[in-house]
Amino acid sequence: RRTRARRHDGETTMTARRRAPRFDADPPSRFRRFIGGAARRDTPFQESPPLFTAFVALQRVTREMGATLFLPRTHTLTAPRRAFDGGRSGKAAMLSEADARLGVLEPGDCTIFDMRLLHCGTPNQALLGDRRYFLNFTFCNPRADTSDLGHVPCIRPGYKRKMTLADFRAQLASAAPFADYGDGLGA
């Protein structure tokens, strides 16, 4: 398998599979109605993207299981984004016309998105209580202002600002992964 980036309607999606994750461009109306109360961004707007999140699907994620709904191009300060941030009436109008895409995934598929992007989980409609299982990573942009993101990181204190993605890859490929970094629990 190779990792590659693929552009999808203005958003970058990474995949470790030979095909890109499928984005459902026509979510059912029940999902469109759900967007209004649930759409959110995980970090406030700033010019440089502060954080990126990666969801790696550990099993198939279908529409019925509550796939994540993404609103492409809402990570930038466009007129629709200003309407969303401007209050209840602007938010409702913007969401009623927003482009919405469901992230339907196969095991091993990965979506990476800018945490300023508007998104939401959708209701789990699957029979027998099917759950979505993801491996979730958050990456910090070292050039962004991270002083007030409104997002509490969950990285172990001893790892904070110590590794880049290249360092992480090297550690995974080494004979003793993370031995140089310890358990990360010490500050």
Side-chain angles (χ1 to χ4, degrees):
R1 295 189 204 206
R2 290 188 315 228
T3 301
R4 63 183 177 156
R6 182 170 170 152
R7 301 285 295 177
H8 180 77
D9 286 50
E11 303 304 320
T12 300
T13 300
M14 299 291 290
T15 181
R17 298 180 59 84
R18 297 197 191 284
R19 62 167 187 78
R22 185 171 63 99
F23 283 86
D24 190 337
D26 186 28
S29 60
R30 70 177 182 271
F31 293 125
R32 184 155 294 283
R33 286 193 301 271
F34 182 74
I35 298 171
R40 68 179 189 286
R41 44 70 176 164
D42 291 326
T43 59
F45 180 80
Q46 61 174 274
E47 287 299 320
S48 292
L51 299 172
F52 295 90
T53 292
F55 292 149
V56 180
L58 300 178
Q59 94 289 350
R60 189 170 187 237
V61 178
T62 65
R63 288 178 172 204
E64 295 77 22
M65 292 174 74
T68 302
L69 188 74
F70 297 98
L71 295 128
R73 295 173 298 283
T74 59
H75 64 294
T76 58
L77 205 51
T78 60
R81 177 58 189 261
R82 280 196 270 279
F84 179 88
D85 291 341
R88 180 170 272 166
S89 63
K91 179 178 178 179
M94 179 269 188
L95 292 173
S96 70
E97 298 175 13
D99 182 16
R101 306 293 172 108
L102 281 171
V104 179
L105 306 171
E106 294 295 327
D109 284 352
C110 177
T111 59
I112 297 177
F113 65 97
D114 181 332
M115 289 180 67
R116 299 172 301 171
L117 185 77
L118 298 175
H119 64 285
C120 63
T122 59
N124 188 332
Q125 305 290 322
L127 297 176
L128 305 174
D130 288 346
R131 294 183 183 195
R132 300 176 302 160
Y133 291 100
F134 289 101
L135 184 57
N136 182 350
F137 295 94
T138 300
F139 301 95
C140 180
N141 177 355
R143 292 183 287 279
D145 176 10
T146 58
S147 61
D148 185 24
L149 294 176
H151 179 79
V152 178
C154 58
I155 193 166
R156 291 180 174 195
Y159 294 159
K160 188 174 182 180
R161 301 214 179 272
K162 301 266 196 273
M163 286 186 272
T164 65
L165 185 55
D167 297 331
F168 188 80
R169 285 181 177 160
Q171 288 298 313
L172 289 175
S174 74
F178 304 102
D180 299 341
Y181 293 93
D183 66 9
L185 294 174

